[in-house]
Amino acid sequence: MNVQNKKSKKDPSEMRHGYTTGACATAMTKAALLALITKEVPEQVTIYLPVGQFATFQVESFQVTENAVMCETIKDAGDDPDATHKARIQSTVRLLNTPDIRIDGGIGVGRVTKPGLPVPVGEAAINPVPRKMLYQVIDEVKEQYSLTQGVEAVISVPDGEEIAKKTLNGRLGIIGGISILGTRGTVVPFSSSAYMASIVQAISVAKEAGCDHLVITTGGRSEKYAMQQYPDLPEEAFIEMGDFVGFTLKHIKKQGIPNVSLVGMMGKFSKVAQGVMMVHSKSAPVSFSFLQQLAQKAGAPADLVEEVLQANTASQVGEWMVEHDVPQFFEELCKNCCYHVIAHVKGGINVSTSLYSMKGECLGKAENIHEINENDWYRG
């Protein structure tokens, strides 16, 4: 008898780290500048990363013209491949007659069109830490070779405009390509730092756009329903928080935005209703005993209340409540979400919650709740 062994998951400590677009751009800038000075393109270059370690990058291809050198590497995201994994990152460097250093974006690097990002409107979307890395590496090479001329480095990502369609850049007002990112220089496997950073940026953009009401959703489908529910709000007001409910709410409170609406579905919002603020499937299981008690509180028939414990998913519980016409269940669940949100951010915010089915049917709402009613708050 053949026994097929189940493939074991990698130990996180054994996972291979990758490198950010900022680190790749910095390395290729160093390679191209060295080539201009020495008249020889290096096969590889080593740079020092903000995380406090050295890293070596291969020059995969290059192009030498009369006045400039372009060097290219292929981004490796390690064991946590993202939208930019395997992207071609290029830097084209030329010398200037003036002593200054200029950093800009070329093809495939987005340009900022909305305020609220760490890069001013009109500039290439090269974030502060990568910019600092670029300036530093240019200064180091200039000093090493006693170069008095200035330097211009233009960062390009040939497929950047296509890659950007898989990111939140369009919503953030970054047009024409990807952002050059990275605060560490390395990509940590299975970290959520990039997504969390995009949430923070989206909230900042909304704040700068004058939004005093944000709508946060767990994904694209719930966002679609949210936009139908709030048609008068601008695009900037809608933020996909993914699983990071608590993280998103705290940043909204920190920015002083007074009104927030949560729009989602049974699976994740049944967790929020219990006070779970990280709703990834692995973070916390759905408590069917909690849903059972909530069904009882909502006045569901006794046999249905008993059946809740036998459900396979929270969505199935929702389907049963619809079939047995228990709308109060969804209202109770939405109110519980609001109460836990207010408790999580320690008040000072007006909260609404809307619950939808997978097909887009609004199952229930709780609107404009700004304080906790202890007599109405069921905590299981």
Side-chain angles (χ1 to χ4, degrees):
M1 183 174 67
N2 291 330
V3 178
Q4 187 173 2
N5 292 325
K6 187 176 180 180
K7 188 177 180 181
S8 60
K9 292 183 179 179
K10 271 191 176 182
D11 185 322
S13 65
E14 298 175 356
M15 290 180 181
R16 190 170 55 85
H17 287 210
Y19 297 103
T20 63
T21 48
C24 294
T26 300
M28 291 306 97
T29 297
K30 180 176 183 179
L33 183 53
L34 287 172
L36 272 175
I37 295 170
T38 66
K39 308 303 180 186
E40 185 175 340
V41 179
E43 293 184 2
Q44 60 185 33
V45 289
T46 299
I47 61 171
Y48 190 69
L49 302 175
V51 73
Q53 65 189 50
F54 289 96
T56 299
F57 295 78
Q58 300 296 319
V59 177
E60 300 292 347
S61 65
F62 62 88
Q63 184 176 358
V64 179
T65 62
E66 186 177 349
N67 300 313
V69 174
M70 183 280 290
C71 288
E72 174 184 291
T73 195
I74 307 298
K75 185 197 167 186
D76 179 4
D79 282 333
D80 189 21
D82 60 10
T84 59
H85 183 53
K86 298 295 184 183
R88 296 158 56 202
I89 311 294
Q90 301 176 343
S91 180
T92 302
V93 176
R94 69 184 183 94
L95 300 179
L96 305 173
N97 293 325
T98 55
D100 55 326
I101 297 174
R102 300 177 195 166
I103 307 294
D104 203 356
I107 293 172
V109 172
R111 203 152 289 269
V112 176
T113 64
K114 294 179 182 179
L117 296 172
V119 177
V121 171
E123 291 193 16
I126 303 172
N127 270 22
V129 172
R131 279 181 186 270
K132 184 179 179 181
M133 292 170 67
L134 289 162
Y135 280 114
Q136 284 179 341
V137 82
I138 291 171
D139 277 333
E140 288 168 7
V141 174
K142 284 185 65 177
E143 184 177 350
Q144 181 183 354
Y145 288 90
S146 301
L147 183 68
T148 57
Q149 288 174 271
V151 175
E152 178 189 71
V154 177
I155 310 304
S156 300
V157 183
D159 301 317
E161 193 164 3
E162 193 64 28
I163 295 170
K165 294 176 183 177
K166 303 173 185 176
T167 73
L168 296 175
N169 276 14
R171 178 68 53 82
L172 296 173
I174 299 170
I175 305 302
I178 66 168
S179 303
I180 303 301
L181 302 172
T183 55
R184 296 166 48 91
T186 60
V187 178
V188 181
F190 298 103
S191 77
S192 303
S193 57
Y195 194 86
M196 292 164 79
S198 72
I199 292 172
V200 173
Q201 288 189 343
I203 294 169
S204 296
V205 168
K207 174 75 171 178
E208 290 293 327
C211 297
D212 63 359
H213 179 191
L214 297 189
V215 183
I216 57 177
T217 64
T218 52
R221 184 177 298 185
S222 52
E223 184 179 74
K224 175 185 173 183
Y225 304 149
M227 287 180 166
Q228 293 170 353
Q229 182 175 334
Y230 298 100
D232 296 330
L233 291 180
E235 185 182 48
E236 292 88 349
F238 296 89
I239 295 171
E240 283 189 39
M241 62 181 169
D243 297 324
F244 304 100
V245 182
F247 175 84
T248 305
L249 289 165
K250 284 187 173 179
H251 276 274
I252 290 172
K253 171 75 180 294
K254 185 177 180 181
Q255 287 284 359
I257 296 170
N259 303 291
V260 61
S261 296
L262 289 75
V263 178
M265 300 175 195
M266 273 293 298
K268 294 184 187 294
F269 275 24
S270 63
K271 295 182 181 182
V272 177
Q274 300 169 59
V276 176
M277 293 292 156
M278 161 50 83
V279 294
H280 190 277
S281 59
K282 296 178 183 177
S283 64
V286 172
S287 171
F288 291 101
S289 61
F290 169 81
L291 294 179
Q292 182 187 51
Q293 295 302 312
L294 207 63
Q296 187 173 40
K297 184 174 185 282
D303 57 343
L304 178 58
V305 170
E306 289 299 316
E307 196 173 1
V308 168
L309 283 181
Q310 309 305 317
N312 293 318
T313 63
S315 296
Q316 188 175 35
V317 174
E319 290 169 5
W320 290 345
M321 295 300 156
V322 171
E323 289 172 10
H324 288 81
D325 193 23
V326 191
Q328 187 66 23
F329 172 84
F330 301 109
E331 184 180 328
E332 293 293 341
L333 193 142
C334 288
K335 282 194 294 185
N336 244 45
C337 288
C338 293
Y339 294 149
H340 276 297
V341 166
I342 293 168
H344 189 72
V345 301
K346 297 180 171 59
I349 196 166
N350 185 59
V351 187
S352 299
T353 298
S354 299
L355 196 63
Y356 282 83
S357 70
M358 295 290 283
K359 295 179 180 179
E361 175 191 0
C362 185
L363 301 173
K365 296 178 184 176
E367 296 185 292
N368 298 315
I369 295 178
H370 61 275
E371 61 183 4
I372 296 171
N373 182 345
E374 291 287 351
N375 295 324
D376 193 36
W377 186 13
Y378 177 70
R379 297 187 230 188

